């Protein structure tokens, strides 16, 4: 075992970021995800979720304090997960900015495809109260900062050719975040294929050669 | 005047695609846009829109047959506009794929920033009935086909270095479509600045040099 000098990075590398284990949602969260997808956040009532789960409204309130609490729970499940995986993917790329960016985009896109329904919920964030929106944005900013750091590193070393690291990072995340809009599990491309294609496109976008 | 050999392209060039005139929405559509933004499609009722406009529900139904009709009207206003402008921007680029792509991305991003609220409504398309979703997708496919054609032309002539034109096109549109999520008119970047940055990023993404 021993004492690794760089504990955080070492821990991150142990996460198998290419493998997405099945996400176990509670019956209430699973029904909430279905309802939010079919009806949107505002079209969903706590009563409707309770009906789908087959519990009473008070029983549901025992576990979650509000409809917003259900969305928050799903969003945090969705986003905390991507952050850990993105950091592991980054660590796995060592010191090579191109490999790091390729890995991180691959990790993000795998989640956007394997868990498209959960990822698509992020469009509902604007309906949260300002306080809760802030909590969620803090998590999301972690991913943005990670990608921005890689783009800046690559630009500094000359591995990338980027004019505006911040805007390029936003564009890269935007292309990934749009995937749940069109990706369907029953389509012709597997999650791995989409992830591979987007990693290659991301490297083009930063003017890098393939790692 | 004379008889232009290529009438369609000539017409398209006459559209001043860099200039977005103020979009005149009827009071009903303007109130619908506000309500959809604050409450989402499912959270909005026809009664709520009527209340905001100051008309009775039957008076509103005289003009629009349903809540879905209101969303459709806004979406068609939003999308038919971008198609005409994108074609004009393309024609304005002549035979140079890099200039054509730069122009079209600039036109799309100008709309995403100048008319961010209208463009953001596209996230509600999934709530439409299958028939209406299809109508809307036909319009949207026009933009996708236009960009794909440019990417394919540029790849064929060697002006671009692209592995997968279809996926690259989807990524380019995805990065543009994500802009309404973060763009605010009161921010530090003007629509023209964002459009210029995204045009440059798009050219990097297809492996082109600046036109």
């Amino acid at each position: 075992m021993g004492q690794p000098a760089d504990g955080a990075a070492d821990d991150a590398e142990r996460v198998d970021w290419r493998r997405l284990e099945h996400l176990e949602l509670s019956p209430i969260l699973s029904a909430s995800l279905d309802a939010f997808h079919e009806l949107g956040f505002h079209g969903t009532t706590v009563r409707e979720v309770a009906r789908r789960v087959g519990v009473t409204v008070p029983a549901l309130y025992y576990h979650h304090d509000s409809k917003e609490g259900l969305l928050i729970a799903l969003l945090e499940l969705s986003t905390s997960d991507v952050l850990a995986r993105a950091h592991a993917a980054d660590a796995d790329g060592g010191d090579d900015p191109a490999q790091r960016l390729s890995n991180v985009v691959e990790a993000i896109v795998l989640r956007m495809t394997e868990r498209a329904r959960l990822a698509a919920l992020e469009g509902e964030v604007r309906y949260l109260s300002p306080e809760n929106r802030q909590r969620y944005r803090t998590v999301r900013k972690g991913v943005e900062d990670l990608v921005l750091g890689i783009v800046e590193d690559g630009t500094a070393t000359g591995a990338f050719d980027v004019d505006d690291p911040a805007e390029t990072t936003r564009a890269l995340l935007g292309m990934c975040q749009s995937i749940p809009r069109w990706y369907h599990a029953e389509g012709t491309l597997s999650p791995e294929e989409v992830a591979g294609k987007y990693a290659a496109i991301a490297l083009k976008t930063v003017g890098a050669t393939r790692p």
Side-chain angles (χ1 to χ4, degrees), chain A:
Chain A
M1 287 298 201
Q3 200 91 14
D6 185 356
D10 196 70
D11 280 353
E13 274 178 81
R14 281 189 210 121
V15 176
D16 187 355
W17 57 270
R18 280 199 177 90
R19 205 185 122 98
L20 273 164
E21 64 286 356
H22 180 69
L23 203 59
E24 207 61 64
L25 295 180
S26 73
I28 290 174
L29 288 184
S30 178
S32 302
L33 181 56
D34 289 346
F36 289 149
H37 257 275
E38 290 167 36
L39 307 168
F41 177 67
H42 275 293
T44 299
T45 59
V46 168
R47 182 170 300 276
E48 169 65 17
V49 174
R51 192 191 62 73
R52 290 175 183 233
V53 188
V55 301
T56 64
V57 171
L60 194 147
Y61 276 123
Y62 180 78
H63 295 284
H64 298 275
D65 62 353
S66 65
K67 183 173 73 168
E68 180 153 334
L70 294 170
L71 180 56
I72 290 281
L74 286 168
L75 285 170
E76 292 204 338
L77 209 55
S78 172
T79 52
S80 64
D81 171 61
V82 75
L83 196 51
R85 288 162 31 78
H87 275 288
D90 177 40
D92 212 18
D95 293 330
D96 177 0
Q99 189 64 57
R100 289 169 65 200
L101 182 65
S102 172
N103 284 1
V104 171
V105 169
E106 191 181 338
I108 293 172
V109 175
L110 280 175
R111 170 177 156 272
M112 292 288 169
T113 46
E114 296 270 19
R115 294 181 184 165
R117 272 159 41 97
L118 204 54
L121 272 190
E122 287 161 42
E124 311 283 299
V125 165
R126 65 200 179 96
Y127 299 130
L128 295 179
S129 67
E131 185 197 328
N132 283 325
R133 211 157 48 205
Q134 193 48 51
R135 277 171 70 195
Y136 166 74
R137 280 188 178 156
T138 303
V139 176
R140 183 156 163 173
K141 194 162 183 314
V143 177
E144 189 169 335
D145 287 346
L146 175 67
V147 175
L148 178 59
I150 299 171
V151 172
E152 285 175 339
D153 284 354
T155 305
T157 65
F160 298 164
D161 173 24
V162 167
D163 295 327
D164 186 326
E167 207 62 48
T168 298
T169 296
R170 206 131 61 169
L172 290 172
L173 293 175
M175 64 168 77
C176 296
Q177 282 153 5
S178 291
I179 293 174
R181 285 198 197 182
W182 58 265
Y183 186 78
H184 297 287
E186 60 275 17
T188 52
L189 289 174
S190 72
E192 290 75 18
E193 284 169 325
V194 180
K197 283 172 188 287
Y198 272 74
I201 292 169
L203 291 178
K204 283 266 170 62
T205 303
V206 299
T209 47
R210 224 163 295 241

